[in-house]
Amino acid sequence: MLTGLALWLVSFYVEAQRRPKPADATVGHGVEESIFTEGMKFMMMDEPARAVPQFEKVIQLYPEQPAAYFALAQALMKQGKTEEALPRAQKAVQLDGGSNKYYALQLAELYVKQKRYADAEKLYEELIRKSPDNIEYGVELAAIYLFDEKPDKALDMYDKVEKSLGLNEEITRQKQRIYLKQNKVDKAIQEAERLVASEPSEPEYLLEGAELLLENNRADEAARWLDRALKINPDLPQAHIMLADLYRRQGNLEKTSQELNFVFANPNLEADAKARILASYLGLVGNDQKAQQNALNLARELAKAHPNDAKSQIIYGDLLVQQNQKAEARKHYLRAIQLDKSVFEVWAAIIQIDGEMNQMDSVLTHTEQALEIFPNQGMFWFYNGMAHYIRKDYKQAVESLEEARRLLAGNPKVLKDVNAQLGDAYNGLGDHARSDEAYELVLKEDPDNDHVLNNYSYFLSLRKEKLPLALQLSERLVERNQDNPTYLDTHAWVLYVMKDYTKARTFLEKAVKDEQKASGTILEHYGDVLFQLGERDKAVEQWKKAKQKGETSDRLDKKIATGKIYE
C-alpha cells in the first residue's frame, strides 16, 4: 500500500506541474501539497476514514487529476466500501487514459470483488498487450479466468507466463489441478515430469508424481516413479510407506511388511517420524488380520526401541486395545502420561480400562491425577464420583457428581447417567428428597431407564414410601426384562413390602430358577417370602443357601438360628 501511495503522490505532483499555472500558483501548490500530505499521513496511520475528506478536497481543487481519484478509491477500499470506490477508480483510469498500470490494477481488483470478471479480464489483457514487462500479471489474469470458469484460457495464460519467466512450481501445481478437474490425468503427469526434469536430483517431485498416480489408480506407473526416487535416495521413508500402501492394495502383505520393516530399521529416522508413519499405516490396514499383526509387531519394536517417546507408547497401547490386551495397553498408556501429561485421550483410555477391569482404586487415583490437568472435564468428575460411590464415600461422590452435572449440562445423553448416579449417591447419604429428584430428572427424559427403574423402586420399597409409584416402576422394569434375576427380585420385593406374598413368590421363583446366577440377596428374599407363606422349613433352606452365596442382610444368621424373620 505504501508503495502505491508513494507512486500516486509523485504522479500527482508531476501532473500538477505540467498544468498551466495561474499567477498565484506557488501559494496554491503549497496548499494542495499540504492537503495531500495530510491525507497520506492518515492512510499510513491506518485511518482511511480521516483521509477521505482530504482527498475529496484535492478533487475539488483539481477535478481532472486522476491520482486524487486513485487515492480516494484506495481509502474507500480500506474501509470496505467497494461500491463507493468503484466510480472513483473508473474516473482515475478514464482521466489517465490507460498509461498508469496501478490505476488499472486497482480498478480490476474492484471488478473482481463485484464478480465483474469480464471487465477485469479486459483491463489485465490490455496491460499485458501494452508491455511484455507486464506478463507477470498473467498469473492474476489466469486466476480471474478460473473464477469466470474459463480453464482453457487460464492454462493458455499460464503457458505464456512460464514461456516468458521460466518454470514456476506454483503455476505448475495450479495447471495440474486444472487438468485433474478436467480428468486429463496424462496432462497432469506431464506437468509433474516437467518439475522432475527441472530438478533431476530432487526425489520429492517424484514422490508427488507417484502420489498423483496412486490417487488415480495407476499403481504400476506409481511403482516406477517410486523406484526412480529410491535410486536417488534409497532411504526415503515416504517412498517405502507409499510402496507398502501400493502392495497392500494389491494384496501382497509380504512385500508390505518388507517395506515397513525397512523404514523401521532406519537408525537415522526419528522416533516421532516412525510413529507418524506407523499411524498412517494403521489407517490403511482395515480389518486385515495379518496386516494388523504386522503393525502390532512394528509398534512393539518401536515402543521398545524408544521408551521415552510418548507417541510410540500411545500407538502400541492403541493396538493392544484392539487386540483386547487391555492390561498391557494400560501399562504403555501410563508410560506415555509419565512422558507427556497433556494428552486427554490417553487419560480417558486409562480410566476406561480401570473401570472395565473393576479397579476402582485405580479409577480414583487416575481421575484425581487427570483432574489436576483437566479440571473442566466433566467426564473425569463423573468417573471420580462413581469410584467414590463404589467405595461408599457418598459425600465425596455427591460433590464430584454435582461438578460433573454442572460441566456436562450441555450433553443430555451423559447427563442422564450423571443424574442416575447422583440418585444412588444421595440415597447413600440418606438425602431421599434429592435422590428422588435426580431419579425423576432421568425418567423425565428416559422413562425406560433400567438402572433408575430398578434402584428407585427398590429404594422406595426399603423406605416403605410411595409404594404405588414403586410398583409402577418395577412393573415397567420386569415387562422390559422378563428374565433378569436382579430386576425380578426388585419387583418381587416391592410386592413383598406391599404384602402380596403369593405374587412375589411367582417372580422370585423365576429369579432363582438358575441358582448359579441367583445372588445371596435374591435367595434371602425368596426365603422371606416362603416364611410369610407359612413354609418355614423351605424358608430356612433358602436362607442357608443365601449364606453360602454371601451379599446378605446382617440379620440372616439370626433368621437361620431361630427360623423367624426380624423386621
Side-chain angles (χ1 to χ4, degrees), residues 206 210 213 218-231 243 246:
L206 285 162
L213 288 161
R218 295 166 74 159
D220 291 341
E221 292 175 72
R224 288 194 290 273
W225 280 59
L226 290 169
D227 185 57
R228 289 164 63 188
L230 288 170
K231 283 178 180 175
L243 278 172
L246 189 153

Side-chain angles (χ1 to χ4, degrees), residues 86-102:
L86 181 61
R88 275 73 173 194
Q90 288 172 324
K91 188 70 173 177
V93 171
Q94 176 194 339
L95 291 171
D96 176 70
S99 61
N100 190 318
K101 67 181 180 181
Y102 293 102

Side-chain angles (χ1 to χ4, degrees), residues 202-331:
E202 177 52 70
E204 289 301 321
Y205 291 143
L206 285 162
L207 293 180
E208 289 175 10
E211 188 172 4
L212 180 60
L213 288 161
L214 279 173
E215 287 171 354
N216 287 276
N217 300 314
R218 295 166 74 159
D220 291 341
E221 292 175 72
R224 288 194 290 273
W225 280 59
L226 290 169
D227 185 57
R228 289 164 63 188
L230 288 170
K231 283 178 180 175
I232 297 170
N233 182 355
D235 293 330
L236 280 174
Q238 191 58 32
H240 288 288
I241 195 68
M242 288 170 72
L243 278 172
D245 180 28
L246 189 153
Y247 292 135
R248 184 195 62 80
R249 294 185 191 189
Q250 294 174 343
N252 192 334
L253 294 177
E254 185 178 347
K255 283 195 171 184
T256 300
S257 299
Q258 287 175 2
E259 293 298 331
L260 286 174
N261 289 333
F262 185 90
V263 172
F264 278 76
N266 185 344
N268 298 319
L269 193 61
E270 296 286 338
D272 186 65
K274 289 180 180 178
R276 286 198 306 272
I277 290 168
L278 183 55
S280 68
Y281 177 60
L282 293 176
L284 303 174
V285 299
N287 295 320
D288 190 300
Q289 294 296 318
K290 271 192 172 181
Q292 286 182 357
Q293 187 58 47
N294 184 57
L296 183 65
N297 293 337
L298 290 171
R300 182 188 302 112
E301 293 304 315
L302 182 63
K304 185 177 178 181
H306 302 280
N308 295 321
D309 179 66
K311 286 184 182 177
S312 301
Q313 304 302 318
I314 293 168
I315 288 175
Y316 187 36
D318 290 344
L319 286 169
L320 287 167
V321 168
Q322 289 180 17
Q323 299 290 324
N324 206 33
Q325 299 180 43
K326 294 182 179 178
E328 187 66 20
R330 185 174 60 174
K331 291 180 186 177

